[in-house]
């Protein structure tokens, strides 16, 4: 890890491609989410603040996952030094390979009630996935399932990665393109490049 | 307990029956429709699939795939440009005439540029996997669709899976060409809530000349399903120059109208060419491409069929 995977390409590729990553509804990988999430929230809520209240745990980096990543060495899941960390409680960009149901089932494996300060879950849908007269019903069903399962917050982006790439290349033509990054809507062309790349790489859930 | 072969399981299927569904795609089909957008669904055996877009280049992985192949079927292939760095990467080419789909190379390709298409499940394994998505079916009025390929070719497996799903209260749909003996199709009747039934062409000779099989059995099976009180959603792939002429569309509409209340909906599926590049994943050749029908043409066909009293939608 201190070598940033250099000299260990075979292992790096193996970990990225063959090992099970969080986000695919695989109990083996997902159990670590629960361990990490519970450990963190327990530790935080035990502490008291200068105003003599308990801290509450939250997991919503907004775009800070990109900044935090810049200061973080390589991590055992295959991430290289300097690359963004994941945004909120969503799986690592591109590692959820089994569609939105698996992603949601994975995310719901820890108790979000321990995160009174809020959680952030970003999902991106290709426009064709929500087409037609039933499109909004289907989106609603996904949201209902997530909240019924214990979810707290869901951020839905409906835009194609191709559009975002084009917007990167020719920002002048996409000045009105709005994306939601955590709590605020942003004009994509104004967001700095690493966050743009990050948004593009987040998994596109399409039909 | 039987075993079946699938080539894909897709969640969040929104066009394969009511609600949000999970679709199980079985591998193997007796038809050979030239417009098929999932060519990997046709063969019954496991196939080596190659995706250039994922390849890291031979230098990055030290030619692991070439070294793994016992038949020397992998050779150096074309160069591609890495989007991120602009570097030229040497990819590979699979010599299909030497490849016997053994999978040794796919085992060594960690980035899944080379993968084996086709995975076996026992009926219990598949039911367990499908039940994982149950909460989504409940909130959306959805369920499971068994599709393919032609699921009726693995009938024992399909019946066991359907039984398992019904035992758990899941709404079931079966997407089929209808090309099988009635005795086979009949076995699915107690366990299927909705049949997604394909009609390619009403003229049997033209049907056989293009998709490799005649259509008498297909039409007869549809009639029998209707008589048995089952519900059908008829799907018509609209293929330029093949079946989109007025004569065939009228004949199809008459046939559907003749099935009465059994036909809940007719879906017109305009030809598209998004699946063409998939042929290059499993072979060296591409199929013939056509120009997708225009929106106006599709609207015309929809109105024509609707004039027979049918509920027609465009996919």
């Amino acid at each position: 890890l201190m070598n940033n995977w250099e000299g260990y390409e075979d292992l790096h590729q193996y970990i990225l491609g063959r090992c099970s990553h969080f986000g695919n509804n695989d109990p083996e990988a997902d159990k670590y989410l629960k361990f990490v999430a519970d450990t963190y929230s327990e530790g935080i809520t035990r502490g008291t603040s200068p105003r003599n209240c308990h801290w509450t745990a939250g997991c919503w980096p907004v775009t800070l996952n990109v900044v935090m990543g810049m200061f973080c060495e390589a991590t055992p899941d295959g991430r290289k030094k300097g690359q963004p960390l994941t945004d909120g409680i969503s799986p690592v960009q591109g590692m959820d390979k089994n569609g939105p149901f698996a992603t949601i089932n994975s995310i719901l494996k820890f108790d979000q009630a321990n995160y009174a300060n809020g959680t952030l879950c970003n999902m991106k849908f290709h426009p064709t996935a929500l087409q037609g007269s039933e499109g909004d019903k289907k989106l609603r069903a996904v949201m209902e399932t997530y909240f019924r399962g214990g979810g707290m917050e869901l951020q839905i982006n409906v835009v194609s990665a191709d559009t975002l790439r084009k917007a990167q290349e020719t920002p002048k033509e996409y000045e009105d393109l709005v994306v939601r990054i955590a709590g605020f809507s942003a004009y994509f062309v104004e967001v700095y490049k690493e966050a743009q790349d990050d948004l593009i790489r987040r998994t596109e859930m399409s039909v | 307990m039987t075993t079946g072969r699938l080539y894909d399981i897709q969640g969040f299927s929104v066009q394969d029956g009511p609600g949000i569904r999970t679709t199980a795609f079985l591998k193997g089909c007796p038809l050979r429709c030239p417009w098929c957008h999932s060519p990997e669904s046709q063969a019954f055996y496991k196939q080596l699939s190659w995706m250039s877009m994922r390849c890291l280049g031979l230098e990055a992985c030290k030619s692991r795939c070439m070294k793994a192949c016992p038949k020397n079927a992998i050779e150096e292939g074309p160069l591609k440009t890495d989007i991120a760095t602009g570097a030229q990467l040497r990819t590979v080419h699979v010599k299909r005439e030497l490849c016997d789909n053994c999978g040794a190379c796919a085992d060594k390709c960690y980035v899944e540029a080379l993968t084996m298409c086709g995975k076996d499940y026992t009926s219990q394994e598949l039911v367990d996997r499908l039940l994982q998505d149950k909460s989504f079916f409940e909130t959306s009025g959805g369920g499971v669709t068994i599709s393919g390929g032609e699921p009726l070719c693995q009938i024992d497996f399909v019946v066991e899976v359907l039984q398992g799903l019904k035992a758990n209260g899941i709404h079931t749909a079966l997407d089929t060409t209808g090309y099988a003996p009635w005795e086979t199709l009949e076995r699915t009747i107690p366990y299927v809530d909705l049949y997604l039934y394909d009609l390619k062409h009403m003229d049997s000779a033209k049907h056989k000349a293009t998709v490799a099989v005649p259509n008498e059995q297909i039409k007869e099976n549809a009639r029998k399903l209707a008589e048995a009180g089952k519900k059908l959603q008829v799907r018509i792939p609209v293929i330029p120059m093949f079946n989109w002429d007025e004569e065939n569309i009228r004949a199809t509409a008459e046939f559907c109208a003749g099935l009465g209340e059994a036909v809940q909906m007719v879906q017109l599926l305009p030809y598209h060419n998004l699946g063409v590049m998939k042929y290059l994943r499993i072979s060296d050749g591409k199929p013939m491409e056509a120009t997708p029908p225009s929106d106006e043409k599709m609207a015309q066909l929809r109105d024509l069929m609707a004039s027979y009293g049918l509920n027609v939608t465009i996919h």
Side-chain angles (χ1 to χ4, degrees):
Chain A
L1 289 178
M2 297 317 288
N3 264 352
N4 197 22
W5 300 105
E6 271 147 47
Y8 298 92
E9 282 76 21
D10 278 4
L11 179 61
H12 188 216
Q13 288 163 16
Y14 188 85
I15 288 178
L16 284 176
R18 279 289 152 81
C19 292
S20 179
H21 289 250
F22 162 62
N24 297 293
N25 205 20
D26 178 0
E28 269 309 300
D30 295 350
K31 70 187 184 197
Y32 293 106
L33 165 75
K34 184 159 168 50
F35 170 68
V36 169
D38 288 349
T39 308
Y40 178 77
S41 58
E42 272 170 54
I44 293 287
T45 48
R46 248 186 273 143
T48 43
S49 76
R51 282 182 265 177
N52 215 25
C53 309
H54 281 278
W55 297 110
T56 51
C59 189
W60 43 278
V62 188
T63 48
L64 280 179
N65 61 307
V66 177
V67 178
M68 287 187 216
M70 288 177 186
F71 295 103
C72 190
E73 296 288 327
T75 43
D77 65 334
R79 184 190 136 276
K80 284 200 159 183
K81 171 176 172 161
Q83 276 183 333
L85 302 179
T86 188
D87 59 324
I89 57 176
S90 322
V92 170
Q93 299 85 336
M95 283 306 168
D96 48 339
K97 298 180 187 172
N98 280 311
F101 291 172
T103 308
I104 288 180
N105 281 333
S106 278
I107 294 173
L108 290 175
K109 289 208 174 132
F110 75 101
D111 191 352
Q112 295 188 28
N114 292 331
Y115 280 73
N117 201 19
T119 57
L120 187 162
C121 177
N122 243 308
M123 287 190 80
K124 193 144 73 72
F125 287 93
H126 203 274
T128 54
L130 301 170
Q131 246 173 16
S133 56
E134 301 273 304
D136 50 350
K137 267 198 209 165
K138 276 141 189 173
L139 183 56
R140 184 183 147 164
V142 170
M143 291 163 74
E144 250 189 77
T145 308
Y146 183 66
F147 292 127
R148 274 198 206 175
M152 239 198 241
E153 187 265 14
L154 190 57
Q155 191 99 359
I156 312 254
N157 278 306
V158 183
V159 74
S160 70
D162 285 340
T163 308
L164 296 181
R165 272 181 218 117
K166 284 189 204 139
Q168 273 190 325
E169 283 159 22
T170 53
K172 272 232 154 295
E173 295 171 46
Y174 291 88
E175 279 178 16
D176 60 341
L177 177 61
V178 173
V179 292
R180 286 189 66 83
I181 302 177
F184 65 99
S185 290
Y187 286 102
F188 182 77
V189 299
E190 290 177 329
V191 173
Y192 52 96
K193 186 164 190 303
E194 285 77 15
Q196 285 182 343
D197 290 338
D198 189 33
L199 187 52
I200 292 173
R201 265 198 323 264
R202 279 179 211 161
T203 313
E204 204 176 305
M205 322 268 196
S206 55
V207 175
Chain B
M1 163 104 54
T2 51
T3 304
R5 184 161 293 161
L6 276 66
Y7 71 87
D8 197 9
I9 299 179
Q10 182 181 273
F12 202 71
S13 297
V14 296
Q15 284 142 344
D16 291 335
I20 308 187
R21 310 183 76 79
T22 298
T23 308
F25 291 95
L26 270 63
K27 199 174 197 307
C29 182
L31 275 64
R32 289 291 179 267
C33 306
W35 56 82
C36 181
H37 64 199
S38 296
E40 69 274 27
S41 70
Q42 293 176 7
F44 289 90
Y45 52 84
K46 292 184 186 178
Q47 291 170 287
L48 178 63
S49 170
W50 153 243
M51 283 176 72
S52 170
M53 146 177 119
R54 291 186 182 160
C55 179
L56 297 179
L58 287 173
E59 213 185 296
C61 72
K62 302 180 204 109
S63 311
R64 268 200 300 264
C65 55
M66 286 176 68
K67 291 177 190 163
C69 178
K71 298 279 189 313
N72 275 330
I74 302 185
E75 60 181 359
E76 285 192 7
L79 285 172
K80 73 166 192 181
T81 312
D82 183 0
I83 298 180
T85 64
Q88 295 283 73
L89 303 174
R90 174 69 63 191
T91 64
V92 298
H93 173 251
V94 178
K95 290 186 273 192
R96 292 286 172 180
E97 66 278 10
L98 297 177
C99 173
D100 64 356
N101 295 302
C102 74
C105 58
D107 190 53
K108 288 294 178 204
C109 183
Y110 301 150
V111 294
E112 319 265 279
L114 286 164
T115 48
M116 289 311 288
C117 181
K119 186 174 170 190
D120 294 347
Y121 290 78
T122 64
S123 49
Q124 190 59 55
E125 281 168 350
L126 184 57
V127 171
D128 288 343
R129 164 60 189 86
L130 295 170
L131 287 178
Q132 280 175 8
D133 298 337
K134 192 173 178 188
S135 48
F136 293 93
F137 307 152
E138 281 163 0
T139 46
S140 70
V144 170
T145 299
I146 309 285
S147 179
E150 175 48 66
L152 296 178
C153 292
Q154 301 186 56
I155 185 64
D156 293 336
F157 174 70
V158 166
V159 168
E160 273 181 24
V161 171
L162 288 170
Q163 285 169 335
L165 293 171
K166 275 333 232 175
N168 283 278
I170 307 285
H171 182 280
T172 54
L174 183 71
D175 192 351
T176 177
T177 62
Y179 184 71
W182 170 245
E183 295 69 39
T184 302
L185 180 54
E186 201 182 11
R187 289 175 60 191
T188 62
I189 287 185
Y191 313 109
V192 173
D193 296 305
L194 177 67
Y195 287 87
L196 305 175
Y197 206 89
D198 290 358
L199 290 177
K200 327 266 188 199
H201 204 295
M202 286 293 117
D203 179 308
S204 192
K206 288 185 183 160
H207 193 276
K208 178 157 187 207
T210 300
V211 311
V213 306
N215 71 3
E216 281 83 5
Q217 192 176 53
I218 296 173
K219 292 193 286 197
E220 193 48 34
N221 281 343
R223 284 190 200 105
K224 286 186 176 155
L225 280 179
E227 273 163 38
K230 301 307 286 184
K231 297 294 172 212
L232 273 65
Q233 188 174 298
V234 174
R235 300 182 126 179
I236 303 170
V238 176
I239 313 298
M241 313 314 294
F242 171 60
N243 66 358
W244 72 351
D245 55 285
E246 188 174 329
E247 190 189 333
N248 182 57
I249 296 296
R250 282 192 180 278
T252 311
E254 276 166 21
F255 180 79
C256 294
L259 297 175
E261 279 177 7
V263 176
Q264 292 192 320
M265 190 198 302
V266 174
Q267 256 185 330
L268 293 172
L269 317 180
Y271 166 81
H272 67 86
N273 49 16
L274 301 175
V276 168
M277 47 72 172
K278 282 198 187 180
Y279 285 79
L280 294 171
R281 288 187 196 168
I282 53 172
S283 69
D284 279 329
K286 289 201 291 181
M288 256 170 45
E289 276 184 75
T291 312
S294 65
D295 290 346
E296 294 77 37
K297 178 73 175 177
M298 291 306 299
Q300 260 177 34
L301 297 178
R302 179 200 56 210
D303 295 341
L304 178 53
M305 293 196 79
S307 70
Y308 286 76
L310 298 165
N311 171 22
V312 188
T313 60
I314 298 173
H315 194 61

